[in-house]
Amino acid sequence: MDKTRGRGPAGVAAPRISPVELNDLEDRPDSAFRRGDRHDGARFTRADADGLDLGGSVFSECRFDAVSFNDAQLRGASFRDCVLAELYAPVFRGARSTWQDVELRNPRLGSAELYETGWQSVRIDGGKVDFLNLRGAKLTDVLIRGCIINELDLGAAGAVRVKLEDCTIGSLDLAGAKLKDFDIRGTEFRKVSGLGSLSGLVIDEYQLGLLAPLIAAHLGVTVL
């Protein structure tokens, strides 16, 4: 399968994103949601999964349109070759879940509890997330474009070939993270913590000016 890949002029590796192609999907009602079930080739439209326990469920080659997962338990669930459009959840519980070859389009999430998850070839386009908790997650080939994230926690995460493009980030926590080709050029941010874990971060000159006083303070440097 073709993947979007390449290196920028500075030799930064771009995320390798596999396109998601879904055909001959079967429409299913929200009553089909049950804990631990497997769904292949399904389409869910304006379904309501609020408050359901779907831990350990497997979704393969599925499409979700305007589905609400508010306070649903998706711990340990797996999404593979899936498209989630207009995903809605003031509280999204997906700790230790797996996301591979997934597209999220214009999600609307409040607190997204996605710590210790595994992401591979994941794309997020647009949308808004109040708190994206990816602490301890493993991210490989991830593209987040045009998304507003008030608080992004990547503490102790591992991230390889991740790009935040034209995003707005309020607070970015990188404490203990291990980064490689983590590209945030062109993304706005107000606060960065975990300044001892910036190795592997790719920034532009403007962002360097924003980070310089924070790095100086972290190192105990006095600038007069």
Side-chain angles (χ1 to χ4, degrees), residues 8-221:
V12 180
R16 303 170 184 176
I17 305 295
S18 299
V20 180
E21 299 178 359
L22 302 176
N23 300 294
D24 302 321
L25 300 181
E26 176 187 347
D27 291 314
R28 294 184 190 172
D30 49 21
S31 59
F33 287 130
R34 289 183 295 271
R35 176 181 173 85
D37 276 4
R38 181 183 180 96
H39 299 272
D40 295 281
R43 179 191 287 112
F44 299 93
T45 302
R46 299 192 180 281
D48 183 351
D50 293 352
L52 297 181
D53 185 352
L54 302 176
S57 297
V58 176
F59 300 95
S60 178
E61 297 184 351
C62 292
R63 182 179 176 100
F64 302 81
D65 288 299
V67 174
S68 178
F69 280 106
N70 185 39
D71 209 27
Q73 180 56 261
L74 287 160
R75 187 182 186 91
S78 176
F79 295 83
R80 179 165 184 164
D81 294 303
C82 290
V83 173
L84 297 91
E86 306 290 340
L87 175 66
Y88 175 78
V91 177
F92 189 77
R93 304 185 188 278
R96 300 192 175 100
S97 54
T98 301
W99 304 72
Q100 183 173 350
D101 298 327
V102 173
E103 294 182 10
L104 290 97
R105 303 173 183 171
N106 201 33
R108 290 291 186 270
L109 304 176
S111 173
E113 299 175 7
L114 291 164
Y115 57 87
E116 298 178 8
T117 51
W119 292 29
Q120 183 172 355
S121 184
V122 174
R123 176 171 179 159
I124 302 177
D125 280 307
K128 181 178 181 181
V129 184
D130 290 334
F131 174 43
L132 181 52
N133 182 357
L134 289 170
R135 180 167 287 270
K138 302 300 181 185
L139 313 177
T140 304
D141 297 313
V142 175
L143 173 62
I144 304 177
R145 176 179 291 163
C147 187
I148 299 172
I149 306 174
N150 291 336
E151 185 176 354
L152 175 55
D153 187 350
L154 287 164
V160 179
R161 295 186 300 275
V162 175
K163 183 176 179 63
L164 275 61
E165 182 177 316
D166 297 325
C167 294
T168 300
I169 309 296
S171 173
L172 174 60
D173 187 352
L174 297 172
K178 295 183 179 179
L179 311 176
K180 183 177 181 181
D181 294 315
F182 192 94
D183 190 351
I184 65 169
R185 288 174 294 176
T187 280
E188 298 181 8
F189 58 84
R190 292 195 302 270
K191 178 182 177 183
V192 176
S193 54
L195 296 173
S197 302
L198 297 186
S199 178
L201 186 67
V202 182
I203 59 176
D204 56 38
E205 291 185 4
Y206 174 73
Q207 292 168 326
L208 177 60
L210 297 177
L211 284 174
L214 299 177
I215 295 173
H218 173 74
L219 297 174
V221 175

